[in-house]
Amino acid sequence: MVLLFALALWLGLGLAPQPLLVNRANGSYAVTAADGRLLRLSLTSDEKYRLWTPLAELPPALLEATLRYEDRWFYRHPGVNPLSLPRALWSSLITRERRMGASTLTMQLARQRWRLKTASLSGKFRQMAYALWLERRFVKDELLEAYFNLAPYGANIEGVGAAAWIYFHKPVGELNQDEARALALIPQNPTARAPMHPAARQRLRRAWQTAYGDDAGFERLWFRSRAELPFAAPHFAERLHGLYPEASGLAGTLDANLQSLSENLLSGFIRQQRVQGVVNASAMIVHAPDMTVRAYVGSADYFDRRIQGFVNGLKAPRSPGSTLKPFIYAQAIAQGLITPDSRLKDTPLRLGHYQPENFERNFYGPLSATDALVRSRNIPAISLLAQLQQPTFHAFLLQAGIDIPKQAANYGLSLAIGGAEISMEDLLRLYGMLANRGRLLNLRWLRDADPDAGKQLISPEAAFLVREMLESNPRPQRSFGGRGFGHQQAVAWKTGTSSGLKDAWAIGMLGDWLVGVWAGNFDGSPNSHLVGRDLAGPLLFDILDAIAIERPVAAAEPP
């Protein structure tokens, strides 16, 4: 009769719908720099650290220690171990003691998954019923994977992936044997053993001695605390999560040293410029050959709500001023309209009802195409844009993937002087073509991402000539810090000032490095000091200077 009842129960459990083991939609994400250093481990919406980790990434030492300590017969029982069941009932209901082997891993998974109260007899039976159901619907490895992702490791830490980052500042796959054995002991009594303070570490040590016979390995452990979790490069971490929302582990391309240099230079810049009413700035560094993002500073201070520092200025579209002019000249060269030495007119121009002006409201008369570009004269650029065909400049921007929502007629010739808004990310993608022989590559955010083949949008000859033209642009005499620039390597650079003096831009290329800076205010308020060459230019060269010192070989490589 008992066997028939058990058989009927087993068949019935097989007909019940399959439950959701782990809700991966509400998980944490971990972002690391190029050297593997943790930048951020996020909290879930319910304020937990819960990082999804596949079973294949867990080290053998962790699997072995957990099964040995928690459930030696895991791969042989149907969810409830009939040999340990009487002991489990006695220890939990009568003596109120927790003993090794009191419940199976599947029972522990059921308790954690459905938040079961198992102190009562009815609660314990519910736990066993859920365990049998899980075993009927899932294979063992799926259950073991779910256990490791839901097991409690103290306070608001769930899952061994988050525990490894918090306690040891490394991914779970890199745990050594001692670290793995320590984590295996915590879930049985996380409240008492989570090593967050000296008393809990002592209790964990006693559990170690009981389980492993000595504490030699325990002496080698260095436990970290939640308070030591970094919150670095926040805009970069959020950008990666936005680009790859399903990923729990995001191995980024960020260079921690270049990131720190950029943050410090921006902070110093704003401290000096705040008296002028300039309160915010952004900076981005890209390694041009593969377009990897190496530094990404979205604002001068992420935590300063007065300047809306949490806003990411690098992906926000804003008027680029004259920063798009090099691509008008590149198209004009490719279409045979000019060479760098061609004479262009910088004289009053009227095109229908449109009468453009130069920024300084003066005219130089005839001058070379190189001088017209370097001096950022509006009239020659607008005149060239009007002559472009197949593709037009508007069509070229669309081919480059620039999100400009209006038709060409809505912009007219104002595209030459910042009529269409663009983000810093897109600007650096465009300037990357000047470093990569006219080939447009997408930004690369993840270390292991496949290389981008890109597409040819500018002829190699035109890209080379325009970069050479921009290298003749004289450097600023002094930095915002008051010192002269000491490095005289070739820098191709261009600045831009938006209409209404709301945005100051500067883009520069030094060897393999591509740098973009923006200064302004996120509320769009104008300021007479927001002039690209005078404000953003010196900041650009301070960052380029720092790169030349930090990465001298790559910075000196020829284009």
Side-chain angles (χ1 to χ4, degrees):
M1 181 65 70
V2 175
L3 290 177
L4 288 176
F5 175 76
L7 179 61
L9 177 63
W10 189 250
L11 293 174
L13 290 172
L15 297 175
Q18 182 163 302
L20 177 66
L21 268 182
V22 181
N23 181 14
R24 293 179 58 182
N26 187 24
S28 301
Y29 60 89
V31 180
T32 56
D35 60 359
R37 192 182 317 179
L38 181 66
L39 298 174
R40 180 175 178 182
L41 178 65
S42 74
L43 282 165
T44 63
S45 60
D46 56 349
E47 299 295 308
K48 299 290 184 76
Y49 290 108
R50 185 190 302 121
L51 186 68
W52 172 259
T53 307
L55 186 65
E57 294 183 10
L58 304 184
L62 177 66
L63 299 173
E64 179 184 349
T66 300
L67 292 174
R68 177 176 178 272
Y69 185 71
E70 293 282 4
D71 192 349
R72 294 172 181 266
W73 305 98
F74 173 73
Y75 282 101
R76 299 183 184 181
H77 62 64
V80 175
N81 189 340
L83 298 179
S84 62
L85 185 57
R87 182 178 63 178
L89 292 173
W90 178 266
S91 62
S92 63
L93 300 177
I94 307 302
T95 66
R96 304 290 181 180
E97 295 178 354
R98 297 188 61 88
R99 296 179 59 182
M100 186 167 59
S103 61
T104 66
L105 283 182
T106 315
M107 290 172 64
Q108 295 179 48
L109 170 61
R111 181 177 65 239
Q112 188 71 8
R113 169 62 181 82
W114 283 282
R115 308 298 182 188
L116 302 176
K117 304 296 184 183
T118 58
S120 65
L121 187 62
S122 61
K124 182 59 69 175
F125 278 121
R126 285 189 67 201
Q127 182 186 20
M128 289 188 291
Y130 272 116
L132 291 170
W133 182 32
L134 289 174
E135 292 275 356
R136 188 72 174 88
R137 301 300 302 181
F138 296 95
V139 300
K140 287 289 188 177
D141 282 354
E142 291 175 317
L143 296 174
L144 190 60
E145 182 178 69
Y147 166 80
F148 277 112
N149 279 282
L150 290 180
Y153 286 87
N156 61 342
I157 305 169
E158 289 186 359
V160 72
W165 276 118
I166 291 171
Y167 292 132
F168 300 113
H169 280 206
K170 61 175 65 174
V172 65
E174 295 181 10
L175 294 175
N176 62 38
Q177 184 179 36
D178 293 330
E179 293 163 344
R181 294 170 78 189
L183 289 185
L185 300 174
I186 298 175
Q188 192 180 92
N189 195 349
T191 303
R193 297 179 184 173
M196 296 181 180
H197 51 80
R201 292 177 191 182
Q202 282 300 108
R203 286 190 286 268
L204 182 59
R205 179 196 294 271
R206 288 195 292 271
W208 177 289
Q209 292 170 335
T210 301
Y212 306 126
D214 63 71
D215 59 0
F218 195 87
E219 293 293 336
R220 294 191 290 266
L221 295 175
W222 178 27
F223 294 107
R224 315 293 284 269
S225 69
R226 286 176 299 172
E228 295 179 76
L229 278 177
F231 194 90
H235 289 109
F236 180 77
E238 291 171 1
R239 189 69 175 111
L240 256 63
H241 179 59
L243 290 168
Y244 308 96
E246 302 300 322
S248 56
L250 294 160
T253 58
L254 204 75
D255 184 309
N257 291 334
L258 293 181
Q259 177 75 14
S260 179
L261 284 171
S262 301
E263 291 174 349
N264 291 336
L265 287 169
L266 255 66
S267 295
F269 170 78
I270 291 301
R271 280 197 298 271
Q272 290 198 355
Q273 300 303 320
R274 192 180 296 276
V275 68
Q276 311 285 359
V278 179
V279 299
N280 221 330
S282 304
M284 187 171 172
I285 301 176
V286 171
H287 187 240
D290 54 8
M291 293 301 286
T292 51
V293 178
R294 308 311 297 272
Y296 192 89
V297 189
S299 71
D301 187 347
Y302 181 89
F303 298 102
D304 191 342
R305 300 188 68 86
R306 297 171 300 171
I307 63 170
Q308 299 175 290
F310 54 87
V311 173
N312 184 354
L314 295 173
K315 71 170 189 174
R318 303 184 74 91
S319 170
S322 297
T323 56
L324 293 179
K325 285 178 181 174
F327 306 100
I328 296 174
Y329 283 79
Q331 276 193 281
I333 291 172
Q335 295 181 20
L337 300 176
I338 60 168
T339 69
D341 296 325
S342 295
R343 306 300 288 178
L344 303 180
K345 292 182 180 180
D346 183 22
T347 56
L349 178 68
R350 179 180 291 274
L351 298 166
H353 296 291
Y354 182 46
Q355 187 172 359
E357 293 182 337
N358 289 310
F359 180 76
E360 298 89 347
R361 300 184 184 278
N362 61 1
F363 303 96
Y364 285 171
L367 73 174
S368 71
T370 297
D371 283 343
L373 175 58
V374 166
R375 298 185 183 204
S376 200
R377 308 304 289 173
N378 289 345
I379 304 300
I382 291 170
S383 178
L384 286 175
L385 186 146
Q387 301 175 58
L388 295 178
Q389 299 291 333
Q390 297 179 352
T392 64
F393 193 57
H394 183 272
F396 165 78
L397 293 177
L398 291 178
Q399 290 173 1
I402 308 301
D403 185 16
I404 45 178
K406 299 177 183 178
Q407 299 294 320
N410 296 102
Y411 296 108
L413 300 175
S414 71
L415 283 174
I417 53 176
E421 294 185 333
I422 187 172
S423 70
M424 177 67 78
E425 291 179 4
D426 281 337
L427 261 182
L428 291 193
R429 283 200 309 119
L430 291 176
Y431 274 83
M433 288 190 288
L434 303 182
N436 292 307
R437 299 181 57 79
R439 184 167 290 275
L440 178 73
L441 304 177
N442 287 318
L443 294 172
R444 186 178 175 191
W445 302 89
L446 299 178
R447 288 201 305 270
D448 298 329
D450 294 331
D452 182 21
K455 58 182 177 179
Q456 197 77 37
L457 286 189
I458 300 175
S459 70
E461 296 79 11
F464 173 81
L465 290 173
V466 169
R467 177 165 182 168
E468 194 173 58
M469 292 163 72
L470 292 175
E471 285 177 350
S472 67
N473 193 359
R475 297 165 175 246
Q477 292 302 306
R478 304 189 71 80
S479 73
F480 72 82
R483 68 179 186 277
F485 294 104
H487 295 272
Q488 295 303 312
Q489 298 165 3
V491 175
W493 67 294
K494 183 74 183 74
T495 60
T497 305
S498 66
S499 176
L501 300 174
K502 298 178 180 180
D503 308 274
W505 303 79
I507 315 293
M509 289 172 284
L510 172 67
D512 284 344
W513 296 100
L514 179 58
V515 178
V517 300
W518 169 89
N521 303 308
F522 283 162
D523 63 6
S525 56
N527 189 309
S528 61
H529 296 281
L530 289 173
V531 176
R533 187 172 193 89
D534 298 336
L535 191 70
L539 175 59
L540 169 72
F541 273 86
D542 273 316
I543 295 176
L544 291 173
D545 232 6
I547 293 174
I549 296 171
E550 181 71 19
R551 301 285 186 270
V553 175
E557 289 179 1

